[in-house]
Amino acid sequence: MIDKTFWNGKKVFLTGHTGFKGSWLSFWLHNLGAKVMGYSLEPSTSPSLYYLAEIDKLVDSVIGDIRDLEYLKKKMIEFNPDIVIHMAAQPLVRKSYENPVETYSTNVMGTVNIFEAVRICKNVKSVINVTTDKVYENKEWDWGYRESDKLGGYDPYSNSKACSELVSSAYINSFFNPLQYAQHGIAIATVRAGNVIGGGDWAQDRLIPDCIRAIHDDKPIIIRNPNAIRPWQHVLEPLSGYLILVQKLYTKGTLYNGAWNFGPKYEDVKPVKWVVSKLIEKFGGNVLLQYEENNGPHEAMYLKLDYSKSKMRLGWEPKISLEESIDFVTSWYKNYNNNKDLLKIMKEQIGLYL
């Protein structure tokens, strides 16, 4: 359960706050009464949820690169946070093929830099590093991956995030060892979520934003991998898990160290074509589908997450179905197209979700 009294007044250093997930989390933390410093590059899309929702007015926003260790340390020391949530990343599989050096430097050395900054901050008590469901060595199994399964990552993005997991493990063992918790007082976890959808996402080469753009521009929706099966979930699902986990890390310490999956129910692990058809059905109108042979780089065809650990130990499980998630998505974009108050819509959706 998310405890508003816990978050009220807590100082949260959040990297990646200008992104889609980061903007939603910034807004949610603000509404819980937390004091947030966001640290990130400028939004990578136009439009962006960050500017549309005026997140810069809700948090202390710093435009900076997590690869810049000295500036990162300077801002974190100045803010002196209680909690660090690391979300900043190069998050796209296709872009990782185009620019693997940027992907590794951001996702691996960026994580190193976060922990180096944490090491010199006096008040930090809990840290979570947000990675991805793609950190596992994907064998296209019918069952969900558990946190203890082997890490891998076929492409530079997935592999760099697996490396980020290993960095976290090394820093826990070397500098924040549970056996010395009385001395350092810091609990650390990594979190792995599924394919996140929600209002305000305009990233390239993501299914929902690509569909929304096609519908808006009255163009065919181009589908490259109609049969690829993914663990789809609304953005509020994993974010709620992160908030609950941070509460546990802060109050219970290293008992909650380690990796945690936040995935959808198995019945909501659906193929791309199901999601697209449902999205079209919800939006209405005449939308054409165009299937193209996928000549792009390799992407996994089948992926599931096992969230039983989070259910048993955190009391977290998915609240809404994939169809309800798509209702949230279509409602958000329809309100956006009608120039409605987006902060009001976001607050309403969080309320409905809870």
Side-chain angles (χ1 to χ4, degrees):
M1 178 180 176
I2 297 170
D3 181 1
K4 189 170 184 178
T5 59
F6 168 86
W7 289 99
N8 188 41
K10 288 291 190 301
K11 297 176 72 175
V12 182
F13 191 91
L14 172 63
T15 72
H17 72 296
T18 64
F20 159 58
K21 283 176 71 176
S23 293
W24 270 99
L25 185 55
S26 295
F27 177 77
W28 202 344
L29 286 168
H30 171 77
N31 278 274
L32 288 169
K35 299 176 181 178
V36 181
M37 173 176 277
Y39 184 100
S40 182
L41 297 175
E42 289 278 0
S44 60
T45 65
S46 181
S48 73
L49 181 58
Y50 174 74
Y51 284 124
L52 287 170
E54 298 183 317
I55 299 299
D56 56 328
K57 295 182 180 179
L58 306 180
V59 306
D60 182 0
S61 183
V62 176
I63 300 302
D65 194 325
I66 56 170
R67 293 172 293 183
D68 185 344
L69 175 59
E70 294 310 311
Y71 190 57
L72 175 65
K73 289 196 294 187
K74 177 177 182 290
K75 301 313 292 185
M76 195 182 290
I77 290 170
E78 285 177 1
F79 186 60
N80 196 23
D82 306 302
I83 295 159
V84 175
I85 301 176
H86 175 42
M87 299 181 73
Q90 192 300 96
L92 300 174
V93 171
R94 284 178 172 254
K95 186 176 179 181
S96 77
Y97 281 102
E98 297 166 5
N99 201 331
V101 173
E102 177 189 351
T103 301
Y104 278 101
S105 63
T106 300
N107 296 351
V108 182
M109 287 310 300
T111 303
V112 171
N113 290 345
I114 289 295
F115 285 121
E116 283 296 294
V118 167
R119 287 180 66 194
I120 55 176
C121 284
K122 295 180 180 179
N123 287 340
V124 175
K125 289 194 66 177
S126 52
V127 181
I128 63 168
N129 176 23
V130 179
T131 63
T132 174
D133 57 339
K134 297 175 181 64
V135 296
Y136 296 105
E137 182 178 328
N138 193 340
K139 299 180 182 296
E140 309 277 346
W141 286 333
D142 290 336
W143 53 89
Y145 290 91
R146 294 183 176 179
E147 291 87 347
S148 57
D149 283 328
K150 186 177 179 181
L151 299 178
Y154 183 102
D155 56 88
Y157 165 70
S158 305
N159 186 266
S160 69
K161 282 296 196 175
C163 291
S164 179
E165 292 270 355
L166 294 174
V167 167
S168 302
S169 177
Y171 268 82
I172 290 171
N173 292 331
S174 302
F175 305 109
F176 308 108
N177 195 292
L179 296 177
Q180 282 83 49
Y181 180 69
Q183 285 76 48
H184 59 73
I186 299 176
I188 299 170
T190 61
V191 292
R192 306 162 183 176
N195 280 46
V196 173
I197 62 175
D201 189 2
W202 277 279
Q204 295 290 332
D205 288 323
R206 279 198 188 135
L207 181 64
I208 298 297
D210 286 350
C211 290
I212 297 298
R213 277 187 287 268
I215 292 170
H216 182 267
D217 297 337
D218 197 25
K219 293 181 178 179
I221 295 175
I222 298 173
I223 307 298
R224 291 183 297 266
N225 292 306
N227 297 312
I229 296 172
R230 298 283 186 267
W232 310 98
Q233 58 188 156
H234 192 271
V235 63
L236 297 178
E237 296 277 31
L239 294 186
S240 70
Y242 304 168
L243 294 173
I244 293 168
L245 176 58
V246 168
Q247 293 172 187
K248 292 290 189 181
L249 290 167
Y250 196 95
T251 58
K252 302 295 184 181
T254 57
L255 289 173
Y256 290 85
N257 267 22
W260 299 83
N261 286 343
F262 296 100
K265 295 178 180 177
Y266 279 1
E267 58 263 32
D268 286 327
V269 179
K270 300 283 191 184
V272 166
K273 60 185 178 183
W274 187 96
V275 175
V276 174
S277 297
K278 191 61 66 174
L279 189 71
I280 292 171
E281 175 189 318
K282 304 287 185 182
F283 258 101
N286 296 316
V287 182
L288 295 176
L289 291 180
Q290 183 175 323
Y291 294 94
E292 288 189 357
E293 183 177 352
N294 182 23
N295 294 315
H298 172 274
E299 291 190 56
M301 289 295 292
Y302 195 78
L303 183 60
K304 285 184 179 180
L305 285 176
D306 184 322
Y307 62 87
S308 55
K309 176 184 172 182
S310 294
K311 182 177 180 179
M312 291 176 64
R313 297 195 58 204
L314 298 176
W316 177 93
E317 61 181 324
K319 285 180 176 287
I320 58 177
S321 68
L322 179 54
E323 183 159 358
E324 289 171 322
S325 298
I326 295 172
D327 284 333
F328 273 41
V329 171
T330 53
S331 173
W332 194 97
Y333 284 105
K334 285 179 178 179
N335 278 289
Y336 165 73
N337 290 337
N338 292 323
N339 298 312
K340 300 292 186 180
D341 183 342
L342 295 181
L343 289 180
K344 181 180 178 182
I345 300 306
M346 292 169 73
K347 190 171 184 178
E348 286 177 355
Q349 291 199 342
I350 290 173
L352 285 170
Y353 171 78
L354 292 175

